[in-house]
Amino acid sequence: MVTVAVIGAGGWGKNHIRNFGEIQSCRLKAVCDLNEKALAAAKASYKNVETTTSAAAVFGDRQIEAVIIATDAPSHYRLACDALAAGKHVMVEKPMTLSPADAEDLVKRADAAGRILMVGHLLEYHPCVLMLKDLVDKGRLGDLRYMYCQRVNLGVVRKDENAWWSLAPHDVSIVLFVFQAEPVTVTAQGQAYLQKGVEDVVFAQLKFADGRMAHIHVSWFDPHKIRKVTLVGAERMATFDDMDASEKIRIYDKGVTAGAVVGYEQALSIRMGDILIPKTPGGEPLRLECLHFLECIEKKKTPRSDGRDGLRVVRVLDAATRSLRAGGAPVNL
Ligand SMILES: NC(=O)c1ccc[n+]([C@@H]2O[C@H](COP(=O)([O-])OP(=O)(O)OC[C@H]3O[C@@H](n4cnc5c(N)ncnc54)[C@H](O)[C@@H]3O)[C@@H](O)[C@H]2O)c1
């Protein structure tokens, strides 16, 4: 039975509190937030949970073995450092940090402390993303050529971070997870319409050494609510539409095959096969993520979205930011 505390009881932290409060194999001992109202809400749901405005008090509690940091992104690095220094296992929300240097430092600290450092890359725990990855790994799509992700809707408009840092950590983590590679070049273009200097919409391209490519479109200033991933392989194609309640994954038996050389041109035959809509496994991704964190602590396993994964994602987020600032110039990683 792992004893845990959640730091940050805001919009997303509430979901961590619910999950760790409900999971039988752990004990949610404390919730910490600077906001007393957020603490009162946690206390109303979980009477036995201690509440505090002091993260230091959580770190000083020797019964607490693991902390979940669900505060705003600028506070992640400092809180995670202090938690690791106090010997806690840490699950920190995305983005792990705001700079690659801080992310590298956290990875080193976790290694030195012998503690688990996991990042809340939620989509790596989504059963449909795992199904896509399985399709790719088993070669069902043939060699992957390219993929693109869209994460757009109207709001929530944030002030302290742009749409890229708010929304794209999910998509970058999906791309790196599915491709199992880091890009060599990142380019990004975006625009701030609603608040000066805070991009509302960003289009980014990730190019990989072997020619694979990924495109990511994020926005909180868009009429549609889209959460979609499209994978194009040499033999088949697949989509994951998280807004579709019952038919989230489609596998298209479609492709283009190069045929015999005819004259100066190669004949290209287009194959329009069936569309398969497989039954997808259920399960709340956050519950699965929380259970994974606990399992990694208990069995001393490396999390799927460990600190190194967090670092890789932050490197891409940072490279895209540098490209944005340079008007879309390519940034090499
Ligand atoms: N994985 C996901 O799908 C997902 C979804 C939404 C948000 N998030 C991430 O979760 C984090 C929190 O987002 P949110 O939407 O809940 O933000 P929020 O602003 O609603 O909540 C943040 C909370 O942290 C508290 N806080 C800030 N600094 C603190 C400190 N030093 N000690 C204690 N409490 C502190 C604030 O008082 C606030 O209640 C962000 O990193 C965000 O990117 C992840």
Side-chain angles (χ1 to χ4, degrees), residues 16 20-21 47 55 72 74 82 86 104 112 115 125 127 142 195 200-201 211 237 242 255 277 289 303 314:
H16 282 291
F20 285 104
K47 305 251 173 311
D72 40 290
D82 292 349
E104 264 171 46
R115 289 295 176 266
Y125 299 89
Q195 303 166 92
D200 309 297
V201 54
M237 304 169 186
D242 209 8
I277 303 174
E289 180 188 296
V314 169

Side-chain angles (χ1 to χ4, degrees), residues 39-57:
L39 292 180
K43 191 82 182 167
S45 303
Y46 299 95
K47 305 251 173 311
N48 297 327
V49 165
E50 296 163 17
T51 54
T52 176
T53 54
S54 163

Side-chain angles (χ1 to χ4, degrees), residues 71-311:
T71 56
D72 40 290
S75 60
H76 289 176
Y77 170 69
R78 192 68 261 154
L79 287 168
C81 280
D82 292 349
L84 289 168
K88 313 296 182 199
H89 298 289
V90 173
M91 176 156 106
V92 56
E93 261 309 328
K94 59 82 194 165
M96 183 162 90
T97 61
L98 296 181
S99 77
D102 284 353
E104 264 171 46
D105 187 53
L106 279 190
V107 169
K108 280 190 196 142
R109 284 171 188 262
D111 284 353
R115 289 295 176 266
I116 282 171
L117 173 63
M118 174 167 151
V119 192
H121 290 161
L122 182 72
L123 274 295
E124 291 184 40
Y125 299 89
H126 196 303
C128 290
V129 172
L130 295 178
M131 187 181 250
L132 280 186
K133 172 94 166 53
D134 192 51
L135 285 173
V136 170
D137 291 351
K138 289 187 172 143
R140 294 272 313 277
L141 306 183
D143 289 339
L144 262 197
R145 299 304 194 211
Y146 71 94
M147 66 185 285
Y148 57 96
C149 306
Q150 278 181 293
R151 189 170 300 277
V152 304
N153 49 254
L154 198 58
V156 176
V157 179
R158 298 193 184 253
K159 288 191 189 113
D160 305 325
E161 61 185 1
N162 62 12
W164 176 250
W165 281 85
S166 177
L167 301 168
H170 289 308
D171 301 295
V172 174
S173 79
I174 296 173
V175 169
L176 304 194
F177 180 57
V178 171
F179 278 3
Q180 286 293 298
E182 288 178 72
V184 286
T185 309
V186 176
T187 56
Q189 299 250 17
Q191 205 62 258
Y193 296 104
L194 307 176
Q195 303 166 92
K196 196 162 178 274
V198 183
E199 285 82 2
D200 309 297
V201 54
V202 174
F203 299 89
Q205 283 82 30
L206 282 54
K207 285 207 159 184
F208 293 77
D210 57 6
R212 286 179 297 175
M213 189 171 80
H215 175 91
I216 296 173
H217 170 200
V218 290
S219 172
W220 56 44
F221 187 36
D222 193 285
H224 311 288
K225 178 153 185 172
I226 305 176
R227 300 277 181 274
K228 199 163 178 182
V229 178
T230 301
L231 296 178
V232 175
E235 289 167 28
R236 288 184 193 82
M237 304 169 186
T239 55
F240 160 40
D241 182 354
D242 209 8
M243 299 312 297
D244 192 321
S246 58
E247 299 177 358
K248 287 187 184 290
I249 290 203
R250 285 167 188 254
I251 304 163
Y252 298 79
D253 190 10
K254 294 183 179 190
V256 183
T257 319
V261 174
V262 182
Y264 293 112
E265 292 173 9
Q266 223 175 11
L268 295 173
S269 63
I270 291 182
R271 185 168 42 77
M272 300 286 271
D274 293 336
I275 300 169
L276 176 73
I277 303 174
K279 186 172 181 320
T280 47
E284 182 193 354
L286 185 60
R287 175 64 62 100
L288 299 169
E289 180 188 296
C290 296
L291 288 169
H292 183 74
F293 180 53
L294 295 170
E295 188 193 350
C296 289
I297 293 171
E298 279 162 359
K299 299 191 177 156
K300 297 188 173 25
K301 279 170 52 178
T302 303
R304 187 179 305 147
S305 56
D306 67 349
R308 286 175 172 77
D309 188 32
L311 167 60

